[in-house]
Amino acid sequence: NVCMSSFEDITKAIRKLANPEKGVFLQRFFKTGKGQYGEGDVFLGLTVPQSRIIAKQFEKLSLTSVTKLLRSKAHEDRLIALIILTMQYKKGTEAEKETMYELYLANTEYINNWDLVDLSAEYIVGEHLLQAKKGAEPHAEPRRRHSGEHGESGISIVSTHTRDSGKVVAFQNDN
């Protein structure tokens, strides 16, 4: 497992596996046309297994580089950034997890498609809220997002269903 830590190295590794033909297909599949939910997304044509391999190779990428990757126009860059963030969150200290949770919430505009939400919201936002609910982090304040944006509304839905010892936990509004 090679630990490459620069933004330039990871973007080079991603671009090396780009498949323009597959990228064109994915842009249609993910509805990236004008007025569609994925409007403006650019696809490089990597598969999810390829993306996971790259994420594992760059698992220790700095949060600065992860954030830069997350803000990319390329969908696969954002996918890989979220896989890395999810891996780092699982292994992080409470302070690191708080930082990653805040980073996630500050960048929801880039988590704009169902696949990005599905692979990350439960494991970062949902887990964070579960721990806060258990009292592990009394300073962590669960936030409610009210937005018509596909990503943010999806994050709200997916993150409120997380697992606690193998059981699905649904958060409810106590107000």
Side-chain angles (χ1 to χ4, degrees):
N1 184 26
V2 180
C3 174
M4 299 179 204
S5 58
S6 84
F7 177 77
E8 291 74 23
D9 288 339
I10 192 166
T11 54
K12 187 186 217 181
I14 293 167
R15 288 345 179 243
K16 186 177 178 182
L17 295 176
N19 179 335
E21 288 177 11
K22 184 171 268 202
V24 169
F25 168 78
L26 290 170
Q27 282 185 217
R28 283 193 305 267
F29 180 78
F30 281 95
K31 310 282 189 221
T32 61
K34 184 127 176 83
Q36 295 179 313
Y37 70 82
E39 182 176 347
D41 267 8
V42 174
F43 282 81
L44 302 172
L46 275 73
T47 65
V48 172
Q50 287 173 317
S51 297
R52 289 190 180 282
I53 289 168
I54 292 172
K56 187 69 177 155
Q57 290 172 338
F58 290 87
E59 184 175 357
K60 296 184 185 198
L61 192 68
S62 72
L63 282 183
T64 300
S65 293
V66 169
T67 303
K68 197 171 175 182
L69 203 61
L70 183 58
R71 294 177 178 172
S72 169
K73 283 200 75 75
H75 186 87
E76 291 88 344
D77 286 347
R78 297 194 314 275
L79 177 86
I80 291 167
L82 290 167
I83 294 169
I84 292 170
L85 193 61
T86 300
M87 290 189 296
Q88 290 182 0
Y89 186 89
K90 286 179 187 174
K91 296 178 181 179
T93 64
E94 292 307 313
E96 290 167 338
K97 287 179 178 183
E98 179 70 24
T99 298
M100 288 181 252
Y101 170 73
E102 292 296 331
L103 183 151
Y104 190 94
L105 292 182
N107 288 282
T108 56
E109 68 187 276
Y110 304 101
I111 307 166
N112 64 340
N113 217 312
W114 59 267
D115 64 321
L116 302 178
V117 171
D118 285 354
L119 74 82
S120 62
E122 176 182 349
Y123 305 104
I124 296 173
V125 179
E127 184 60 28
H128 199 82
L129 296 177
L130 178 63
Q131 294 311 314
K133 187 173 179 117
K134 286 181 171 181
E137 294 179 311
H139 65 282
E141 195 173 299
R143 297 185 197 185
R144 305 195 97 223
R145 295 274 179 154
H146 299 285
S147 171
E149 295 297 317
H150 178 77
E152 287 189 359
S153 60
I155 290 167
S156 295
I157 293 165
V158 174
S159 65
T160 59
H161 289 84
T162 192
R163 299 188 184 283
D164 182 21
S165 302
K167 297 177 186 165
V168 174
V169 177
F171 294 97
Q172 297 177 357
N173 185 359
D174 296 329
N175 296 336

